[in-house]
Each structure stands twice: as structure tokens, then as C-alpha cells.
Amino acid sequence: MNTQRVSGSDPADATGATGAGTASAPHAESAEDASALVDIAEAVQHLARKLSARVPADDGLDPLTPLETLVLQSIQRNPGIAPSALAQNLRIQRSNTSVAVRRLEELGLVVRARDPQDGRRIGLELTDKARTNLRRIQAAWQHLLGTGEGAGAGPSPADLLTTARTLQALDARLAETHFVPPVP
């Protein structure tokens, strides 16, 4: 992976990163690889913050926190997920999950539903309003990352696909591991 890092710069604004890479999660086998992984993590954090700050705020779209948006996306990918499994998947405290789910229920975006196969189990489902909101948020993100707000010549479709696959692989890898901070 080839990255150019400028001290004090915002990694999300860096233009030196190439989209070259593989769809499998990289292993930090060298100092350069380790630095690239840090660059990716920082860029993802900055990008996530910028995207959440630019979600459309109009009369038809409920303003959501980044956590609430994340909860909706997780329920969209895992319909019927139990609140405890949701907390575990997102690696957040159950109390924070409960607060987010309760607010999403109040907004009419999430409902609790009994599992048809096991009536004792309660899962979370999106409402039609939530699906509409998510489509609008995703359309705004496509606009921002593709053709909107100062977009110049962006990454090629192949680079975007490689980046998406790499980030999905890293996300899956993190979901499968228990984080133990390295000892300096």
C-alpha cells in the first residue's frame, strides 16, 4: 500500500493513497504496513465524522446521532436481531444500545417484533420510515463522496470497489477478534 503522510494533515483529505490492495485483511508485517493500517484507521474515523456531519437535515428526515445511524444500518443488515446481539455486534454497552433503540422506537424507525419461529425471542425490525431515511442518507453519502461538494476527479470505480472490499474485510476481522491493546 502506498500512502503519503503529511505531519498534522487530515488523513481523510490525503490524496496520496492509492486504491491498490486486496480484498483480504492485511497483516502488519512491516513498519510500512503498520503505518498504512494506522493511516486507514485515522482516515475512516475522519471520514465517518465528516459524513455524519453532512447528513441531510430537512423536514422529512429525522436528525440522528452517528450511533443511531449505525444501529439502523446494523438492523438493516441483520433483521430481527436481538438488542443484546446488536450491542455485541457493535461492541457498545447494552445501556447505550438501549438508549439508542428506545429513541429510534420513539421516532417510529424501529419496532420490536416476536420471532415467528420462537415466540419467546424479541428482535428489532426497521419500519418503512427507517428504510426511507436510510435510502436518503445513503444517497446523500453517494453524492458527497461521488459528485458533490467540491468533488474533483475521484477514485476510479475499480479503486472504489477495492477500497470497499478491503474495509469490509477489516470490519469483519475486527468483528471476529477480541481487542487486546499492545504493550508499548
Side-chain angles (χ1 to χ4, degrees), residues 113-128:
R114 285 207 187 276
D115 184 324
Q117 278 91 25
D118 182 355
R120 299 168 295 173
R121 189 178 167 286
I122 301 292
L124 301 171
E125 300 283 345
L126 297 180
T127 64
D128 288 340

Side-chain angles (χ1 to χ4, degrees), residues 179-184:
F179 177 71
V180 177
V183 177

Side-chain angles (χ1 to χ4, degrees), residues 5-106:
R5 188 163 179 146
V6 179
S7 179
S9 70
D10 179 350
D13 294 336
T15 57
T18 67
T22 64
S24 64
H27 298 281
E29 296 174 359
S30 70
E32 185 178 322
D33 290 343
S35 178
L37 291 172
V38 170
D39 288 345
I40 290 169
E42 289 177 356
V44 167
Q45 283 186 318
H46 287 276
L47 186 60
R49 181 187 52 80
K50 289 174 183 173
L51 287 174
S52 68
R54 289 178 176 86
V55 169
D58 59 34
D59 294 329
L61 190 61
D62 295 303
L64 302 174
T65 68
L67 176 59
E68 291 164 349
T69 302
L70 191 61
V71 166
L72 286 179
Q73 291 168 327
S74 186
I75 296 169
Q76 182 180 41
R77 282 190 303 276
N78 304 288
I81 190 169
S84 59
L86 177 65
Q88 185 177 357
N89 286 359
L90 296 177
R91 298 200 180 218
I92 57 177
Q93 294 180 0
R94 286 185 183 190
S95 59
N96 293 344
T97 305
S98 295
V99 170
V101 168
R102 206 170 11 257
R103 179 155 186 279
L104 293 169
E105 286 177 308
E106 290 168 2

